[in-house]
Structure formats: C-alpha cells, structure tokens
Amino acid sequence: MTLQYDVTVGDLVELRKLHPCGSKIWRVTRIGADIGIKCQGCGRHVMLPRRGYFKGVKKVLEPGASQPAAADDEPR
Ligand SMILES: [Zn+2]
C-alpha cells in the first residue's frame, strides 16, 4: 500500500526501510520534482522521486505544515 498525503517541508516521517545508520526517521527538507529528506540519525540528505518517496514512507510522525517554510539547510 502506498501512502499518499500532502507532503510539506518539515514533515517528520518514518520510512519502511532502515537507513544503514539505524534510523528510520527522516525530515522533509525540499519539495519539487524530487523530494529531499534528511536522516535524523546521521544527517545525510537524500533526494527521492515523488513516487519513490511515497512508496517508502510508512507513516507521518509529525506534519510540518505549521512550521515556516524555507530553512532548507539548518546548521549542524
Ligand atoms: Zn542515517
């Protein structure tokens, strides 16, 4: 089953697949033709095509809609 929802920058999502660092939690950082997500375990950025993103998302832990946009690259 593919989860389709209104993706927003700042969304905190759980993916079906475990990242090599052991985390399944990602934050949406960029939305366009591709969707950029950042691993909350190791901080790695990944770009996914929309279809791949929606296929990979298991659930939305925290919608980012209430957060101000931009802030694409937060300082580490
Ligand atoms: Zn990671």
Side-chain angles (χ1 to χ4, degrees):
M1 191 188 88
T2 305
L3 180 71
Q4 281 282 1
Y5 79 105
D6 198 10
V7 58
T8 313
V9 170
D11 284 357
L12 196 67
V13 296
E14 181 183 333
L15 296 193
R16 299 175 192 280
K17 230 172 113 181
L18 205 64
H19 201 230
C21 74
S23 174
K24 283 196 291 189
I25 314 299
W26 296 72
R27 178 85 69 180
V28 176
T29 57
R30 184 187 288 267
I31 297 170
D34 289 339
I35 294 184
I37 54 175
K38 182 181 175 184
C39 180
Q40 299 301 288
C42 64
R44 185 179 292 262
H45 271 109
V46 171
M47 297 293 284
L48 291 176
R50 278 179 175 262
R51 199 189 304 168
Y53 171 80
F54 285 115
K55 240 174 159 172
V57 172
K58 189 174 171 193
K59 63 178 170 187
V60 182
L61 301 175
E62 182 190 304
S66 55
Q67 297 184 6
D72 188 66
D73 271 328
E74 61 234 84
R76 302 228 169 116

